[in-house]
Amino acid sequence: MTRIAIAGSDKVVVGPAGSSLLTVLQEAGHPIATSCGGVATCGLCKVTVKQGKENLSPICQEEINHLGSIAKIVGLRLACQARCSGEGEVRVEVPEVEDVAARKAAKAERLRQLRNSNPGGRR
Ligand code: FES
């Protein structure tokens, strides 16, 4: 079992060997972005490993493709590809999940106001 400590919170979750960080975080109810469901095509599940990278699987080519070769140096990983592999603790920084629905609603409201202030006119 690998302990996953989430930076910026006091939350620690436990993942069995072989399970991805994405799965462990989702099963623990911690919000993490994804649109591909964990098949390494969206790149949204990017996390930063602050400590304990030796308790995760080595970085894979799909991660390098999405994150660039600097990923190894700065600790970036795709949570869907990084798998628990050690008995120690991993400290990860998980970006806040953007509320896409709220952003779309705000944009629609701005466009509506723009149209109402300039009906039939040019923008
Ligand atoms: S969940 Fe899409 S790349 Fe990891």
Side-chain angles (χ1 to χ4, degrees), residues 18-40:
S19 58
S20 71
L21 284 180
L22 180 69
T23 300
V24 173
L25 292 169
Q26 285 178 325
E27 287 179 358
H30 190 83
I32 181 166
T34 175
S35 68
C36 74
V39 295

Side-chain angles (χ1 to χ4, degrees), residues 13-78:
V13 296
V14 177
S19 58
S20 71
L21 284 180
L22 180 69
T23 300
V24 173
L25 292 169
Q26 285 178 325
E27 287 179 358
H30 190 83
I32 181 166
T34 175
S35 68
C36 74
V39 295
T41 57
C42 71
L44 293 176
C45 65
K46 179 174 64 178
V47 298
T48 305
V49 178
K50 296 294 196 180
Q51 293 175 343
K53 69 178 181 182
E54 64 277 10
N55 295 306
L56 294 173
S57 58
I59 195 165
C60 66
Q61 189 59 48
E62 286 82 3
E63 292 175 276
I64 301 293
N65 293 346
H66 277 287
L67 305 170
S69 54
I70 197 166
K72 280 185 183 176
I73 298 167
V74 298
L76 293 176
R77 299 295 306 264
L78 291 179

Side-chain angles (χ1 to χ4, degrees), residues 106-119:
K107 181 178 180 182
E109 177 60 20
R110 283 194 308 275
L111 289 173
R112 190 188 63 74
Q113 289 176 355
L114 186 62
R115 280 190 208 107
N116 288 343
S117 67
N118 188 16

